[in-house]
């Protein structure tokens, strides 16, 4: 077969062509039936081509178009800047974003970076990354298809698949490009997606790009989810479909980035099986956090990992690297290697970041105590934050990200943001604690109140955490009660 | 328009027809023998044409793609050997052997992909100081002094007020476009624009119209019609019109006809978004891209976009524009706020290589690299033309594709070159249409003349066997062959 493909010289000789054509024409001419039919077709075509009586639309003349173009006034390229945009100034770090960092020349406690296991600046990881830069240079200089695949990429994929216990894994060069590539690779127009309404923008974007029919269920509300699933089944019954022809997915985050709540995956799996849906789980915040050995929600809830169709995750979290990946069966992965837009049409991840992430997994396996330390820290800080004046502690107790909301909300995201931002700025200026407010892009459909977002790390010590909580109480009191 | 030789088109279609027929027959019988294991109540995960294509066409030639290497992607690379596990099994297994090959595949235009006496040292210094990742978005704790330095340097380099840096070139497009245009806006996009632009436009919810590739006359026609007609159905005037083009087209090697397009854009009050992924650092006397090359003032392009994966040997992308535009983007572009910021070491790599290009490292290496790249590209293009290859693209472009047409020939061409230690890229469906398969050479400043002479020798030898010398040189080939992606985008908007 391959040889057939490769020869351009499938040689139909000129003679044989002539013969074929001649015999065809001879047939038409000698066969009366064919002649009549051909004539009929010609008549029908002629009739079809005749213009029907319709008032003729007069096209615009060139002069008129000129006039219209002259008159057209576009909006400015972007709307005027808002007050927040003009005044907001982000912190600029002068050292690594570890548990402590330097801002404005000052050493500060960093409660902002998603450095859950404290692996930023980890010595072994630094060593591995340095060696990788020395060997491979910085960039991969091409997409995976075109010599951008470097052996460490392959090694990374094998390592993650082994770590997760899945058949295979595909590496993307950017965490936030993972969901927008994975979802449209499998979901097309006509397919059905049921998704949590608080899912992060990457998932929303992926769903939008897929053009599938989507229903959003109330955040973490399993009854609402079941109602949505039931509606799909009922539709099947009503339309008397015997066979399911469209793909159906439930998409959730194991720990929601926007709210810090843990999704009850056991219930999701039960519903998924009952209603014959596939499930895509975003484990960005739960890998290296949940489960006894950090394997995420499947380990935490004791779910066989094969039952989850796709697991996607970004690596800018516990793994202290950059990029994203999707784990699943061979079929799931292979399909994305050709159909994942962010995989095919973008340069591969810089090899040193892949090496770095491999080293992170090694660290996690070698030092499982990091996981307990993180959970201890979360517990400690949550407790210390409980009676912060004017604020309530949100999020699930397992979540390494803690959202703190205003007790008396202004009922608008912007309003809350302004107040909280004042607290954040004061914390940095007066108390040397780096915090952050949740930001929401206009393109994001999530409606959830603004909060101060605290990311706990295994690298923090008790003293820092308690001091930060104490400072927050003082600052919150002064800002909210003045 | 590519003049596909008639006989070639015929044989190519015939090959496809045969492949598809055999695929269907084998599918039919395997269906009879064993039903595909799709659990009850589920639709097959992948059941469309794509899946069929992968199994029956792609798997026959997939050894030409995704070839792993185990060195830096410099002028010479170590390609890892692979082989099929068995005749009916398509999985490729590493054999463990490596072959040192001349690299004509990577986008290593200025040679910064390999270890560099100046840049690599700096990158490692930054790695030690800032770690590999910040684990935070740019507004949280993701911005470091190195990020700030790069944003300022890019803005200065391009003569714009400000610049914003993202961690991925693809995401730069796919997240910036939705922040600029939306419902009621019109995007007029070149028919061969990169997939990231197509994704960005689709994500924005704006209407999209496609104009013929690099054809300002058609662009003007589309823009006039659009303004005259207004929005579909409501006929309200468009809120704004954004023209999106690339500087150098990566599959065609063509240079955008920027002066004409800018004239149209100014005449009709549209905005211009220029993707310089393959031209920044590679085109123009000092590497400032297609504006410098064509002599168009930078101020005439509203949004300058580019990536750091090509000329700078790093990762990421940037947008440069007015101060207010960039501030607006910082607050509205999702990837800036939600995504992990670019790795500090990679940022430093870009800053250092930019400094080399700008001559701020205290040497003349930057100017030399740019001159080498230009000379190498033009010499190589001339040699290919002399061989009788059907070469696409323009003079001075470092991307040089030649037409191969048939997927089988394409694969064999790639394999034979690899056997002779030349690593090349071949492009087929879905990156271009089914019968316009091509091979592509990306020239680098780090190629020596001897390297390139060697490559030409190999191409002469393999090309003779493959019969890809179509005779007389034919420049100006591609005009209106809309890529599948663009076509799909146009159809589905
Ligand atoms: C025109 C164009 N834009 C954007 C990109 C994406 O850039 P990156 O590879 O850095 O994601 C590419 C790269 O292939 C490109 O050719």
């Amino acid at each position: 077969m391959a040889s057939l493909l490769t020869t351009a010289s499938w040689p139909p000789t000129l003679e044989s062509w002539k013969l074929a054509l001649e015999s065809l024409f001879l047939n038409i001419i000698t066969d009366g039936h064919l002649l009549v039919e051909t004539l009929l077709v010609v008549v029908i075509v002629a009739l079809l081509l005749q213009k029907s009586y319709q008032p003729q639309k007069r096209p615009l003349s060139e002069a008129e178009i000129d006039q219209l173009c002259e008159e057209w006034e576009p909006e400015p390229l972007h709307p005027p800047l808002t007050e927040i945009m003009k005044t907001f100034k982000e912190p600029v770090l002068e050292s690594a974003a570890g548990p402590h960092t330097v801002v404005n020349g000052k050493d500060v406690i960093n409660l902002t970076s998603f450095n859950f296991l404290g692996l930023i600046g980890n010595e072994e990881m630094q060593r591995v990354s340095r060696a990788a830069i020395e060997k491979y240079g910085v960039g991969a200089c091409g997409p995976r298809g075109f010599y951008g695949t470097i052996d460490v990429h392959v090694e990374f994929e094998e390592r993650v698949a082994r770590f997760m216990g899945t058949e295979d894994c595909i590496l993307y060069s950017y965490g936030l490009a993972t969901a927008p590539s994975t979802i449209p690779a499998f979901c097309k127009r006509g397919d059905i997606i049921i998704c949590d309404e608080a899912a992060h923008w990457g998932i929303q974007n992926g769903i939008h790009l897929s053009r599938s029919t989507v229903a959003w269920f109330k955040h973490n509300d399993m009854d609402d989810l079941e109602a949505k699933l039931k509606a799909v089944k009922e539709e099947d019954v009503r339309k008397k479909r015997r066979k399911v022809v469209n793909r159906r997915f439930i998409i959730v985050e194991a720990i929601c980035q926007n709210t810090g709540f843990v999704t009850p995956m056991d219930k999701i799996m039960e519903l998924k099986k009952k209603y014959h849906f596939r499930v895509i789980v975003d484990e960005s915040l739960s890998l290296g956090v949940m489960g006894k050995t950090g394997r995420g929600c499947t380990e935490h809830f004791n779910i066989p990992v094969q039952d989850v169709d796709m697991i996607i995750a970004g690596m800018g979290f516990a793994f202290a690297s950059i990029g994203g990946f999707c784990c699943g069966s061979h079929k799931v992965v292979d399909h994305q290697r050709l159909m994942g837009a962010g995989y095919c049409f973008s340069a591969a991840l810089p090899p040193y970041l892949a090496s770095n992430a491999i080293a992170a997994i090694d660290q996690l396996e070698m030092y499982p105590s990091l996981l307990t330390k993180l959970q201890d820290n979360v517990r400690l800080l949550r407790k210390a934050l409980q009676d912060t004046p004017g604020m309530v502690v949100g999020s699930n107790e397992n979540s390494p990200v803690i959202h703190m909301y205003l007790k008396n909300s202004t009922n608008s995201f912007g309003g809350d943001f302004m107040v909280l931002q004042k607290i954040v700025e004061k914390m940095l200026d007066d108390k040397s604690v780096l915090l952050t407010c949740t930001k929401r892009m206009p393109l994001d459909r999530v409606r959830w109140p603004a909060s101060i977002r605290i990311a706990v790390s295994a690298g923090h010590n008790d003293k820092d955490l308690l001091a930060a909580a104490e400072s927050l109480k003082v600052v919150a009191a002064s800002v909210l009660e003045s | 328009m590519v003049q596909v030789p008639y006989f070639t088109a015929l044989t190519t279609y015939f090959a496809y027809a045969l492949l598809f027929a055999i695929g269907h027959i084998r599918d039919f019988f395997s269906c009879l023998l064993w039903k595909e294991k799709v659990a009850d109540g589920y639709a097959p995960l992948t059941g469309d044409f794509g899946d069929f294509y992968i199994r029956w066409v792609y798997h026959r030639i997939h050894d030409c793609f995704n070839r792993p290497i185990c060195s830096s992607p410099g002028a010479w690379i170590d390609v890892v050997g692979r082989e099929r596990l068995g005749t009916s099994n398509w999985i490729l297994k590493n054999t463990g052997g490596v072959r040192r090959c001349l690299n004509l595949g990577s986008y290593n235009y200025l040679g910064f992909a390999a270890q560099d006496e100046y840049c690599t040292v700096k990158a490692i210094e930054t790695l030690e100081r800032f770690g590999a990742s910040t684990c935070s978005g740019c507004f949280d704790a993701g911005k470091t002094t190195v990020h700030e330095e790069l944003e300022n340097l890019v803005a200065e380099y391009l003569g714009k007020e400000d610049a914003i840096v993202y961690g991925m070139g693809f995401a730069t497009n796919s997240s910036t476009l939705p922040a600029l245009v939306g419902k009621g806006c019109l995007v007029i996009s070149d028919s061969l624009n990169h997939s990231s632009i197509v994704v960005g436009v689709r994500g924005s919810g704006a209407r999209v119209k496609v104009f013929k590739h690099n054809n300002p006359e058609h662009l003007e026609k589309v823009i006039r019609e659009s303004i005259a007609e207004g929005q579909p159905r409501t006929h309200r005037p468009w809120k704004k019109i954004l023209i999106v083009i690339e500087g150098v087209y990566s599959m065609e090697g063509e240079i955008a006809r920027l002066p004409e397009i800018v004239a149209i854009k100014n005449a009709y009050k549209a905005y211009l978004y220029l993707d310089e992924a393959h031209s920044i650092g590679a085109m123009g006397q000092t590497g400032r891209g297609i504006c410098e090359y064509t002599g168009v003032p930078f101020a005439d392009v509203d949004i300058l976009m580019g990536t750091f994966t090509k000329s700078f040997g790093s990762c990421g992308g940037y947008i440069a524009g007015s101060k207010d535009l960039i501030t607006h983007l910082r607050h509205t572009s999702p990837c800036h706020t939600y995504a992990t910021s670019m790795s500090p070491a990679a940022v430093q790599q870009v800053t250092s290589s930019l400094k080399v290009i700008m001559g701020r490292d205290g040497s003349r290496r930057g100017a030399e690299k740019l001159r080498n790249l230009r000379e190498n590209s033009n010499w190589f293009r001339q040699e290919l033309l002399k061989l009788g290859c059907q070469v696409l693209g323009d003079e001075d472009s470092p991307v040089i594709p030649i037409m191969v047409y048939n997927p089988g020939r394409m694969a064999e061409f790639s394999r034979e070159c690899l056997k002779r230690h030349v690593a090349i890229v071949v492009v087929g469906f879905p990156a271009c249409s089914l019968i316009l398969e091509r091979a592509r050479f990306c020239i680098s400043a780090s190629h020596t003349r001897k390297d390139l002479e060697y490559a030409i020798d190999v191409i002469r030898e393999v090309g003779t066997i493959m019969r890809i010398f179509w005779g007389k040189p034919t420049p100006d080939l591609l005009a209106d062959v809309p890529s599948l992606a663009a076509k799909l985008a146009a159809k589905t908007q």
Side-chain angles (χ1 to χ4, degrees), chain B residues 151-163:
Chain B
E151 294 190 338
N152 294 337
L153 194 65
V154 168
E156 187 197 329
Y157 184 59
L158 295 174
K160 289 280 182 188
E161 284 172 7
D162 205 353

Side-chain angles (χ1 to χ4, degrees), chain A residues 345-347, chain B residues 168-170 173 194 196 246 250 275 277-278 307 309-310:
Chain A
F345 299 110
S346 174
Chain B
M168 182 199 200
F170 190 97
N173 278 334
H194 190 252
S196 56
E246 289 180 29
S250 62
D275 180 338
H278 290 268
T307 69
T309 34
K310 278 94 196 180

Side-chain angles (χ1 to χ4, degrees), chain A residues 62 66 70 72 75 77 93-94 114 130 134-135 139 141 145 147 149 151 278 331 352 436 444, chain B residues 36 43 66-67 69 107 115 127-129 135 140 143 224 238-240 269 271 313 338 343 424:
Chain A
E62 284 300 303
D66 278 342
E70 192 64 38
W72 180 63
E75 284 182 6
L77 183 54
L93 271 57
E94 289 151 35
F114 296 120
R130 195 178 330 119
E134 276 159 7
K135 180 166 181 205
C141 265
Y147 306 101
T149 301
D151 51 0
R278 293 186 170 95
K331 181 154 189 175
Y352 78 95
T436 191
D444 197 333
Chain B
E36 209 196 340
N66 299 308
R67 286 183 184 141
I69 65 172
Y107 306 127
Q115 291 71 10
L127 176 75
E128 312 220 302
R129 181 160 164 224
C135 292
D140 302 331
K143 192 163 183 182
R224 284 174 67 86
W238 296 102
K239 286 185 181 160
K240 53 193 165 196
K269 292 171 276 193
Y271 300 106
Y338 294 154
S343 169
I424 63 161

Side-chain angles (χ1 to χ4, degrees), chain A residues 164-166 283 295 298 303-311 327:
Chain A
M164 298 295 295
T166 53
E283 290 234 51
R295 282 167 171 76
T298 48
I303 300 164
V305 73
Q306 283 73 21
D307 287 3
V308 180
D309 298 272
M310 284 166 233
I311 295 176
C327 289

Side-chain angles (χ1 to χ4, degrees), chain A residues 198-462:
Chain A
H200 68 80
W201 179 81
I203 293 178
Q204 297 168 33
N205 188 228
I207 292 174
H208 178 83
L209 293 174
S210 75
R211 304 205 153 101
S212 305
T213 312
V214 55
W216 304 91
F217 68 93
K218 289 208 193 79
H219 182 43
N220 259 358
D221 183 338
M222 290 302 116
D223 296 333
D224 193 33
L225 170 60
E226 179 150 21
K228 297 269 176 346
L229 297 173
K230 211 179 248 161
V232 174
K233 274 279 166 224
E234 275 161 10
E235 176 90 3
D236 279 351
V237 174
R238 209 153 42 79
K239 294 239 172 100
K240 299 208 179 67
R241 290 199 193 104
R242 262 189 287 127
K243 213 167 131 218
V244 175
V245 287
N246 50 8
R247 285 170 283 267
R248 296 162 178 192
F249 287 89
I250 302 173
I251 304 181
V252 288
E253 286 173 276
I255 299 180
C256 180
Q257 282 188 39
N258 283 320
T259 68
F261 284 117
V262 174
T263 306
M265 281 309 295
D266 41 356
K267 184 75 188 164
I268 297 264
M269 296 311 287
E270 192 185 300
L271 290 175
K272 154 204 150 73
K273 283 185 188 145
K274 183 164 165 201
Y275 292 98
H276 301 301
F277 271 63
R278 293 186 170 95
V279 64
I280 303 180
V281 186
D282 187 315
E283 290 234 51
S284 296
L285 264 66
S286 53
L287 278 185
V289 172
M290 285 171 94
K292 219 166 43 240
T293 60
R295 282 167 171 76
C297 67
T298 48
E299 189 180 32
H300 182 86
F301 288 102
N302 235 333
I303 300 164
V305 73
Q306 283 73 21
D307 287 3
V308 180
D309 298 272
M310 284 166 233
I311 295 176
I312 55 180
M315 292 192 290
F317 300 88
F319 291 163
S321 192
I322 284 175
F325 58 80
C326 171
C327 289
S329 63
H330 285 309
K331 181 154 189 175
V332 160
V333 168
D334 283 338
H335 187 70
Q336 288 179 67
R337 288 194 200 277
L338 265 182
M339 300 295 163
Y343 182 88
C344 300
F345 299 110
S346 174
L349 185 72
Y352 78 95
L353 290 169
S355 301
N356 189 57
I358 297 175
I361 297 176
D362 291 343
Q363 290 291 307
L364 174 59
E365 288 196 327
M366 238 183 303
Y367 304 105
S369 60
L370 288 173
L371 289 161
T372 39
K373 177 71 182 148
L374 172 62
Q375 289 305 336
D376 290 346
N377 279 354
V378 172
R379 218 167 299 126
L380 181 82
L381 188 63
R382 281 188 74 88
K383 192 147 158 269
L385 288 171
Q386 277 314 327
D387 42 343
T388 308
M391 303 197 78
V392 282
V393 182
S395 309
N396 188 284
E397 65 240 12
N398 284 320
S399 160
V401 175
I402 304 171
H403 289 269
M404 307 260 309
Y405 302 95
L406 285 178
K407 217 170 246 165
N408 303 314
S409 167
T410 61
N411 289 326
S412 84
F413 187 90
D416 283 7
F417 179 86
M418 293 295 247
V419 179
L420 295 169
Q421 183 62 23
K422 217 175 280 165
I423 298 179
V424 166
E425 280 165 19
K426 246 180 132 88
M427 285 292 282
L428 182 62
D429 294 342
D430 302 348
K431 304 287 181 188
S432 295
V433 178
L434 182 60
L435 294 175
T436 191
C437 276
T438 49
K439 322 266 180 324
R440 190 134 306 140
M441 302 290 99
L443 292 165
D444 197 333
R445 67 179 299 285
V446 170
R447 299 283 164 263
W448 200 263
S451 60
I452 290 185
R453 198 193 65 202
I454 300 176
V456 186
S457 162
H460 289 125
N461 60 33
D462 296 2

